[in-house]
Amino acid sequence: VSRNPSPSTVEQRSFTSTAIMEVRDGKMVVVLVGGSNGNHVMAADLGRRPEFELRLVTRRPEKWSKTIRCREQRITVDSIPFAILPTWWVEYEGQIDEIYHWDDCAKALQGAHMVIMTCPVTVHKEVLARICDHLPDHPIMIGSAYAQGGLDWAAREVLQDNPRAKFVTLFGLKHYPYLCKADEYGKRVTLYGRFPDLRAAVSPHKPNNVKAVKHFLDQMFHKDFTMLTDFVICTLGGSNQMLHPSICSQLFEGWQPGMVYDHHMKFYTEVKAKAQNWLFELAIREVPTLLWALDGVLNRNGELRKQATYEIFSTMVAKLPTFFQPKALLTTPLLWAFKYNIRLKKVKAPMIEKDGGWVPNVTSRFFTDDVAHGLCVMQGMAEILEVELPSVLVLIRRMQEFMSKEYVSELPDIRGRFLNGKHLHETSSPQAYGVHDVPGLLKLLHWDRDDVDAVDTSRIMAASTDVEGVEQIDAMVGKL
């Protein structure tokens, strides 16, 4: 849980961007890591503001212009992204102060205040390791724009024997802040919308560390961040890892290698009721049940559940008798919300051209991130806590078949558990860290930053010689 005694969530929200901070020349020095769509937006947005000094670390610095242009769709109210309210487009550009190759990462980090990764969850650990090989000898904040999949677990492994770990404040966002697409790599990007409710976890969770992270994030994303007490809230976030597998399972139902589709499907506008049913089961019934169980073993007295954005609604529904839980009534507005959300209408399904048609792109983040580092993490914690998540299990089975992977087995093992497939070590589940019981899970969830070597989290499959898995990781890191 990466948690130390701290103020309550309500008190944390009172930390504003007026927190007492002193930075050289009034400049907040931010290092962007990787060439993702999101970094294009941050380069344009932060780079036009004089209070920021912006640096970029990428494998392909020669592809980047120092001037990044952004075309942004503005919505009257971010939380109501429908045509009933006016929308308009604005254009702006920002300047990157310095662009570095990974070979010069140490130079990029020197004197920096914050490093933010916007990379696939699959490569969090590998990118963190690259960054932490070059840690400066001063305090620095390092984190991810999307902290799904146990970011704090990966960071603990990377920092465990690093003498400069004491300088690192780790942070992670619960929701990815942008819906965007680079139009021309390293030069232009379109921003279709900003996520309305941004939340972040911090480790060590001490008042001054929380203040520092919140001060920077509030300024960077133009939002009043809610600061979470636990990274596990990000790990169990109710967005991509629920949305993407549910919709992919419906869109590609019945697909087998050799089959092609006649068009590139739209991801959200072609959603049907079956996907909404999966989402109902996950967000209203199963994941809240897992949160209740975690809240109990951690003795959090309801604090954990309250920080999940979907928990209030799911609790209200769960309190009703079964025959009063109108599943169709609740899923229909959700279906409408996806179909008519002006931010989502142009998003295409993860597909690639092949054999004169279109097939699922099973190497996209919708598969690699949201199954191995999303659903499998949920399933792993659930099996340890003896909580049944039948819809999660079915979705893993469907998605792993598309991917030609085996995360869960057909039959349970001697402990009655399914998460024991031959590709388990590619996941971020507790079991991939060698954790199989409640005491081990509690140790994994609590990261005592006062003693960085307190818990050994070496993976049980660290010596794996899965060449295919290693090559996939290397390929993804190589794109940064």
Side-chain angles (χ1 to χ4, degrees):
V1 175
S2 308
R3 179 173 181 266
N4 294 87
S6 62
S8 69
T9 304
V10 175
E11 291 171 332
Q12 292 158 23
R13 195 173 178 86
S14 69
F15 293 143
T16 69
S17 58
T18 58
I20 299 174
M21 300 282 293
E22 290 189 10
V23 294
R24 294 182 309 280
D25 303 321
K27 293 273 191 179
M28 292 180 277
V29 183
V30 176
V31 180
L32 308 178
V33 174
S36 70
N37 297 318
N39 273 351
H40 285 71
V41 174
M42 278 193 276
D45 193 8
L46 304 186
R48 61 181 172 148
R49 297 157 61 188
E51 64 268 30
F52 288 99
E53 178 182 326
L54 203 58
R55 304 171 184 175
L56 173 71
V57 178
T58 174
R59 188 178 64 89
R60 296 184 289 173
E62 73 282 357
K63 297 290 186 180
W64 281 78
S65 167
K66 281 196 171 184
T67 301
I68 306 299
R69 294 177 173 83
C70 179
R71 182 170 181 263
E72 178 178 354
Q73 178 179 224
R74 291 280 177 85
I75 302 170
T76 307
V77 181
D78 281 341
S79 57
I80 310 177
F82 304 108
I84 58 174
L85 294 177
T87 64
W88 64 98
W89 290 88
V90 297
E91 296 187 7
Y92 49 86
E93 63 181 39
Q95 299 290 322
I96 305 173
D97 293 282
E98 297 292 342
I99 301 175
Y100 296 93
H101 189 274
W102 274 104
D103 292 342
D104 296 316
C105 185
K107 186 184 297 184
L109 299 186
Q110 192 61 44
H113 299 113
M114 175 175 280
V115 180
I116 185 164
M117 304 182 296
T118 55
C119 60
V121 177
T122 307
V123 296
H124 267 162
K125 183 183 174 186
E126 286 69 28
V127 176
L128 274 170
R130 285 190 176 191
I131 294 169
C132 292
D133 281 344
H134 304 285
L135 287 178
D137 58 352
H138 59 74
I140 189 168
M141 297 173 285
I142 299 175
S144 173
Y146 186 53
Q148 174 184 307
L151 175 68
D152 53 326
W153 304 344
R156 188 182 335 183
E157 278 199 352
V158 169
L159 291 171
Q160 190 164 11
D161 298 317
N162 193 314
R164 293 185 174 179
K166 63 184 178 182
F167 291 127
V168 176
T169 294
L170 183 74
F171 70 91
L173 275 62
K174 182 176 184 288
H175 297 287
Y176 195 70
Y178 306 125
L179 181 62
C180 57
K181 181 68 175 177
D183 303 305
E184 184 178 3
Y185 182 83
K187 294 179 176 63
R188 294 185 297 108
V189 64
T190 298
L191 174 57
Y192 296 98
R194 298 172 184 260
F195 198 86
D197 178 29
L198 294 180
R199 305 179 176 220
V202 179
S203 173
H205 197 88
K206 296 180 178 178
N208 285 340
N209 301 77
V210 173
K211 285 182 182 181
V213 171
K214 178 171 170 57
H215 174 73
F216 271 72
L217 294 181
D218 283 356
Q219 298 294 309
M220 291 169 62
F221 295 103
H222 311 280
K223 300 284 185 181
D224 179 16
F225 267 72
T226 298
M227 305 309 288
L228 305 170
T229 58
D230 303 89
F231 264 92
V232 75
I233 294 296
C234 301
T235 296
L236 296 178
S239 54
N240 292 358
Q241 58 194 331
M242 295 188 195
L243 281 171
H244 296 162
S246 297
I247 297 175
C248 284
S249 179
Q250 174 243 302
L251 289 178
F252 304 129
E253 185 175 18
W255 180 80
Q256 297 289 336
M259 294 175 54
V260 297
Y261 296 93
D262 61 5
H263 71 290
H264 193 167
M265 291 184 278
K266 294 291 182 65
F267 191 68
Y268 291 103
T269 58
E270 297 191 43
V271 166
K272 295 182 173 62
K274 183 170 288 188
Q276 308 312 313
N277 289 337
W278 287 120
L279 285 169
F280 180 91
E281 295 298 328
L282 266 60
I284 304 300
R285 292 179 175 162
E286 297 188 8
V287 178
T289 302
L290 177 57
L291 276 168
W292 275 75
L294 281 169
D295 200 292
V297 298
L298 293 168
N299 297 316
R300 300 301 297 280
N301 299 317
E303 182 182 341
L304 201 66
R305 302 193 306 273
K306 293 175 184 177
Q307 296 180 70
T309 51
Y310 49 81
E311 173 61 25
I312 296 176
F313 179 64
S314 64
T315 299
M316 291 170 55
V317 174
K319 286 182 178 179
L320 298 172
T322 302
F323 56 86
F324 279 138
Q325 294 182 15
K327 186 173 181 179
L329 183 63
L330 292 171
T331 56
T332 299
L334 188 60
L335 182 66
W336 182 88
F338 284 134
K339 285 182 177 293
Y340 300 104
N341 186 317
I342 57 178
R343 288 195 299 242
L344 303 178
K345 63 181 181 180
K346 292 187 177 181
V347 177
K348 294 185 177 181
M351 304 178 77
I352 54 176
E353 286 189 87
K354 186 176 182 181
D355 298 333
W358 295 87
V359 300
N361 179 8
V362 297
T363 63
S364 78
R365 299 186 191 189
F366 287 33
F367 289 85
T368 56
D369 281 7
D370 298 320
V371 181
H373 306 280
L375 295 180
C376 287
V377 180
M378 295 179 182
Q379 181 67 22
M381 286 193 280
E383 290 189 350
I384 291 172
L385 297 172
E386 298 185 354
V387 173
E388 291 190 359
L389 304 180
S391 299
V392 170
L393 184 59
V394 171
L395 283 174
I396 293 174
R397 284 178 170 151
R398 290 192 176 189
M399 296 293 282
Q400 72 178 17
E401 185 176 353
F402 294 147
M403 301 166 69
S404 298
K405 296 287 186 180
E406 184 186 295
Y407 303 120
V408 297
S409 56
E410 293 182 349
L411 298 173
D413 61 17
I414 195 171
R415 293 169 295 187
R417 299 175 181 179
F418 292 95
L419 192 65
N420 51 35
K422 63 183 179 181
H423 296 112
L424 168 66
H425 62 284
E426 296 178 8
T427 75
S428 292
S429 66
Q431 287 81 353
Y433 286 87
V435 174
H436 299 278
D437 55 26
V438 173
L441 181 62
L442 291 176
K443 287 182 179 180
L444 184 65
L445 291 173
H446 181 80
W447 183 11
D448 183 359
R449 293 300 303 278
D450 294 324
D451 182 4
V452 294
D453 296 321
V455 181
D456 180 9
T457 58
S458 298
R459 288 179 179 247
I460 51 175
M461 301 298 289
S464 170
T465 55
D466 182 353
V467 175
E468 177 186 2
V470 171
E471 288 177 348
Q472 287 180 356
I473 293 293
D474 286 345
M476 298 185 81
V477 174
K479 293 178 181 178
L480 295 174

